[in-house]
Amino acid sequence: MPRRASGKTAQLPHDDGRPVITVYAAGAVCWRIKKEKFQVLLIHRPRYGDWSWPKGKIDPGETLPETAVREVREEVGMEIRLGIPLPTIHYPVNSGLKEVRYWAAQVVKAKPQADGKEVDSLLWCSPEEAAELLSNPTDREPLRALEEARQNAALQTWPLLVVRHAKAKPRSSWTRAEGDRPLAATGLRQALAVKELLLAWRPRRVVTSPWLRCVATMSPYIKSTGAKVKVVDALTEANHKRQPKKTAAVVDSLFDKHSPVALCTHRPALPTVLARLGRHMSEELRAALPTADPYLSPGEIIICQVNALDNATIVSVEQYRPYDD
């Protein structure tokens, strides 16, 4: 089933007596295919004596995708790339209501290992066995969605990300070439936050406008990961205004190599970029794309998961804004 998730996590008190979300957490349902058998990874937590998915509470300064990746790393020692979003679950805790957001995560080579503190045992098992072992009934909801995606051939995916560059110095105070307008101090901090958020999907390629504010936004991630970089003139504001069809062609080319990729461009080019992506998704997902100016805030990211079996169909859309101090 196509899915959309939002990056917003703020929760206001309810006036109707409903519980208020007081705890936010995130995790992943890790899966693999071994000897032609589909398996998922369960963890056993000695503190609670239960079987669950790797997950944990959000830390200050994190987004929920970052939390999910960090918790899997800390609890079972694996670096993961997030796949399709799975259902968010809720259950009561002493302080109110806990919300846990989940993603699918395919495991290819990494061998998990319990940290010996929060997790004392691991188990790869079939979805049927997992459904029997899971201690919290709500944990079966992401498992059911994972199975549904597998049956619909929509579980194996690769991420295509669209990034609006971080906050630049005002046009009104810049007298030199527009392409040389740099990031503001806030934008430099946002670029570091963009790096941390992008690590949840680890794009191997970066396609960016050559203008300084786009390159500077992506530089911390590129330096951290060694991702391959391609600068494309068609992604600049000026070239998009003259020839938007060339900008659209750049978006089409992102599907050619069938591998994780991030595109960084400017606000005026976003309507063209989003419209082109919309051609690759269902009407339901297309309706969830932003349609009003400014489309994305500085540094904000849209994450599309592309079906790896046809490399042309987008099966989920998410939108996240990096932590902004």
Side-chain angles (χ1 to χ4, degrees), residues 44 79 141-142 151-152 159 163 181 219 238 257 259:
H44 185 266
E79 293 291 346
E141 293 179 33
Q151 292 166 7
N152 292 334
V163 184
R181 185 155 59 96
S219 287
K257 294 190 177 181
S259 66

Side-chain angles (χ1 to χ4, degrees), residues 69-87:
V69 172
R70 175 183 55 77
E71 286 292 337
V72 172
R73 181 194 312 120
E74 291 178 354
E75 293 187 345
V76 299
M78 293 193 305
E79 293 291 346
I80 60 170
R81 174 185 288 120
L82 298 182
I84 61 170
L86 299 173

